[in-house]
Amino acid sequence: MSATKANPHLSIVIPLYNEENNLEELYEELVAVLKTMGKSYEIVFIDDGSRDKSFEIVRKLYNHDKRITGLSLSRNFGHQVALVAGMEYASGDVVVMMDADFQHPPELITLLYQKYSEGFDIVNTRRVETEGIRIFKRLTSWLYYKLINFLSDMKIEASSSDFRLMNRRSVDAFLRFQERNRFNRGLITWMGFKQEIVEYKAPTRLRGRSKYTLRKMMSLGLDGITSFSSKPLRISFYTGLFIFLAGIAYAVFAIINHFRGMNIPGWTSTILIILLVGGFQLLSLGIIGEYIARIYSESKSRPIYFLKDKTGNENEN
Ligand code: UDP
Ligand code: MG
């Protein structure tokens, strides 16, 4: 209470969603690593609407280590938004963001910091091989990065993760983004500055299951594509044009055949055309819909998140 809090040099930002079983051990490991670095630090945990005891554990940790701050969001806003909340709070000259599940090994922070000392503004990480990650996730992730790099004008590194170090200048720049549908990896690539990539080997999740359900992955994936590219809209235009022209050609062919008296029993071709054209129309509408949904959600300019609670609030008098 009496401590006048000087800004720490390092801020570690960790979003949590139902991570009660990882928290204590993560804290121990982090502190061990941070101790060897000999810099002042804070650890900011953002409880993203967990339904387990995550925030209570953060409180407990806070009660014996005031270098911890726990922020509790009013509901589950998603990993990307939780990261923003943590970065807005973090006051260090250097901010490191990482996951709570040990897939981002705390030891690596030393290496990230070393790169920062060499003069990089942003130090990203790339996982080279994740032990025991399901083939399905690895394959979809690989395909996704291929797709996003094909569609967008920006190159986003495959297998990049939200484990990175940013200096104050780049954090302040990052916080100027007002977007709601976020794909932070893309935004950070887009920002520029002096960036570096460090490779690491990710272990399997220590405990608990991945919080990225297929639905969350799809939604993050679509945000990544729609916020960096309008090519899908153009692709649907060109495909539409192609099908339209092919349709005209086929119509001419059908009319000529009609006058030459070669009546084809037309069931197959008719149904094919209906399916093709109908299917394509729905696809295009869907693509347009995805963009409109995002324009809509951005245009409402709603706050990105709300805080419900914060450590230190409970015993203030
Ligand atoms: N997370 C979060 N909100 C969510 C989903 C995940 O804050 O809605 C956190 C989670 O607790 C973890 C990090 O984001 O610290 C990454 O999530 P996870 O490990 O489940 O993702 P994966 O490694 O499977 O991509
Ligand atoms: Mg994980």
Side-chain angles (χ1 to χ4, degrees), residues 101-105 107 126-138 159 200-208 210:
D101 59 358
F102 294 94
Q103 283 186 314
H104 297 162
E107 316 81 84
R126 176 169 52 206
R127 92 182 107 68
V128 273
E129 163 194 331
T130 308
E131 296 161 358
I133 275 221
R134 295 225 314 278
I135 301 275
F136 176 74
K137 182 143 187 174
R138 213 183 297 179
S159 322
Y200 73 100
K201 210 166 153 183
T204 35
R205 209 170 211 291
L206 190 64
R207 275 183 223 94
S210 167

Side-chain angles (χ1 to χ4, degrees), residues 29-30 33 37 98 102 104-112 163:
E29 238 183 77
L30 255 178
V33 172
M37 296 176 65
M98 61 191 291
F102 294 94
H104 297 162
E107 316 81 84
L108 206 73
I109 296 176
T110 335
L111 182 57
L112 299 186
F163 182 20

Side-chain angles (χ1 to χ4, degrees), residues 15 17 19 48 76 100-101 103 137 205 210-212 216:
Y17 183 56
E19 301 283 5
D48 184 18
N76 179 242
D101 59 358
Q103 283 186 314
K137 182 143 187 174
R205 209 170 211 291
S210 167
K211 306 305 181 307
Y212 268 100
K216 279 187 183 170

